[in-house]
Amino acid sequence: MDVTVAKSAGFCFGVKRAVDSLEELVNTKDQKIYTYGPIIHNEEVIQHFAEKGVTVLNNKDELLMVDDGIVVIRSHGVGKEIYELMNYRGIEYVDMTCPFVRKIHDIVAEYERKGFFVLIAGDANHPEVQGILGWCSPDNSQTFQTVSEFEKLGLEKNRKTVLVAQTTFNHNKFQNVVEIINEKGYDINVLDTICNATEVRQSEAVQLAKNVDAMLVIGSKNSSNTQKLFEISRDECPCTYLVQTATDLDRSFFKGIKSVGITAGASTPKKIIEEVQTNVRNRKF
């Protein structure tokens, strides 16, 4: 069987930075270590750190219970309130927010100070978007995921608005919204904050999926960028499967299949990608 792995599959810069930094803290500090939210969206990585004594804080109430140790801010980032709370309580923390996400925090905070309404293309339930929302006022911001949702917002065309995107947002969907903005004359300052690594991965997935009989997308089911890769790949290749590890492989995936493409979300460790690749090549499942 012919197996092709996308060049950019696996950890992106922000994820690698966060994971490597947490690993270093675990190996060099005697203090208790916490992460505010999972450091990244990958169950195997979270389990790895849990076995080393790292505790995940799931909400503000759990954070308030911390009276010692170090808190590591997740790669997805957090709202302004969390920083203020930790500073007020004197909690030591290390900020591992992805620099590209942190840039969006700065953008929305600055534009709101200038009187702009903040519009975010992204999933309001995703921690990255929740963090972004935490840098602007609830009554001065809105989110959407589809062109239809954007059109239903009922934005005033002359209202000064800034549009940003979740770093893992579907690039084609974002461009569709931009076209509508231009066509209908909205007063919206469009800032494409989709991470370059996301665009590269999505573009590679499209090209790979067009030229294989089946696609495997490796990553966590709660990973936004993994889900986007799955959706994009499935549009081009109906035989597309989402797997978290090699144990999810099934013989039925490859019945009558001669070529397989493999890509992976930005939170998927290289080791897991290699294990899936090896199992597919050698039919060890």
Side-chain angles (χ1 to χ4, degrees):
M1 185 183 297
D2 182 27
V3 180
T4 304
V5 180
K7 292 180 180 179
S8 64
F11 280 0
C12 64
F13 165 76
V15 167
K16 187 176 188 304
R17 170 178 174 269
V19 171
D20 288 350
S21 297
L22 181 55
E23 192 76 62
E24 183 178 356
L25 279 175
V26 168
N27 293 332
T28 59
K29 298 288 186 179
D30 293 329
Q31 298 161 277
K32 176 66 179 176
I33 297 175
Y34 306 85
T35 62
Y36 190 82
I39 190 68
I40 63 171
H41 278 160
N42 184 275
E43 285 80 357
E44 284 69 33
V45 172
I46 301 308
Q47 182 60 33
H48 164 76
F49 284 117
E51 292 170 357
K52 292 195 171 189
V54 176
T55 299
V56 177
L57 304 171
N58 295 298
N59 51 53
K60 186 171 64 175
D61 291 337
E62 292 183 7
L63 177 62
L64 287 169
M65 299 296 291
V66 173
D67 56 9
D68 64 347
I70 303 173
V71 174
V72 178
I73 297 176
R74 62 192 176 201
S75 59
H76 293 110
V78 295
K80 183 179 180 181
E81 179 187 19
I82 300 302
Y83 289 96
E84 292 175 339
L85 187 153
M86 290 191 293
N87 289 328
Y88 178 75
R89 292 290 299 273
I91 298 173
E92 184 179 356
Y93 65 88
V94 177
D95 192 353
M96 283 297 107
T97 303
C98 170
F100 300 108
V101 175
R102 181 70 221 188
K103 181 180 178 181
I104 303 176
H105 294 175
D106 294 339
I107 288 172
V108 299
E110 177 64 22
Y111 270 86
E112 185 174 60
R113 283 193 293 270
K114 293 178 179 179
F116 282 72
F117 182 79
V118 177
L119 194 57
I120 305 165
D123 179 359
N125 295 315
H126 191 277
E128 180 188 324
V129 176
Q130 292 172 348
I132 296 169
L133 288 167
W135 289 89
C136 46
S137 304
D139 59 353
N140 196 54
S141 57
Q142 186 59 272
T143 65
F144 70 91
Q145 294 193 72
T146 66
V147 169
S148 176
E149 288 179 4
F150 170 78
E151 294 182 317
K152 290 178 181 178
L153 293 176
L155 293 174
E156 298 176 16
K157 290 189 177 180
N158 60 351
R159 184 176 187 179
K160 291 199 306 182
T161 301
V162 62
L163 170 63
V164 297
Q166 183 177 348
T167 56
T168 56
F169 198 72
N170 185 304
H171 188 261
N172 288 335
K173 289 183 179 180
F174 188 76
Q175 291 304 313
N176 290 340
V177 172
V178 173
E179 288 179 10
I180 291 175
I181 289 171
N182 293 330
E183 290 173 1
K184 298 190 175 182
Y186 286 100
D187 185 15
I188 298 179
N189 193 339
V190 178
L191 301 178
D192 185 349
T193 53
I194 298 173
C195 177
N196 181 64
T198 295
E199 292 186 44
V200 170
R201 276 176 172 75
Q202 292 180 0
S203 177
E204 286 184 357
V206 168
Q207 295 306 314
L208 187 54
K210 286 180 178 179
N211 294 288
V212 294
D213 299 323
M215 276 287 290
L216 294 177
V217 180
I218 312 169
S220 174
K221 294 179 180 178
N222 64 346
S223 165
S224 174
N225 70 84
T226 299
Q227 285 293 338
K228 299 297 188 303
L229 287 174
F230 174 72
E231 293 167 6
I232 289 169
S233 298
R234 187 177 54 186
D235 286 344
E236 302 296 338
C237 178
C239 295
T240 294
Y241 306 97
L242 176 60
V243 298
Q244 294 192 166
T245 67
T247 59
D248 295 324
L249 294 172
D250 191 294
R251 289 187 182 278
S252 64
F253 293 173
F254 310 104
K255 186 176 181 180
I257 298 299
K258 296 182 179 180
S259 60
V260 177
I262 297 176
T263 187
S267 298
T268 305
K270 182 179 180 181
K271 179 182 178 182
I272 293 178
I273 299 172
E274 292 175 342
E275 288 175 351
V276 170
Q277 179 183 4
T278 298
N279 274 266
V280 173
R281 286 188 188 281
N282 299 328
R283 303 289 187 93
K284 293 182 179 180
F285 50 86

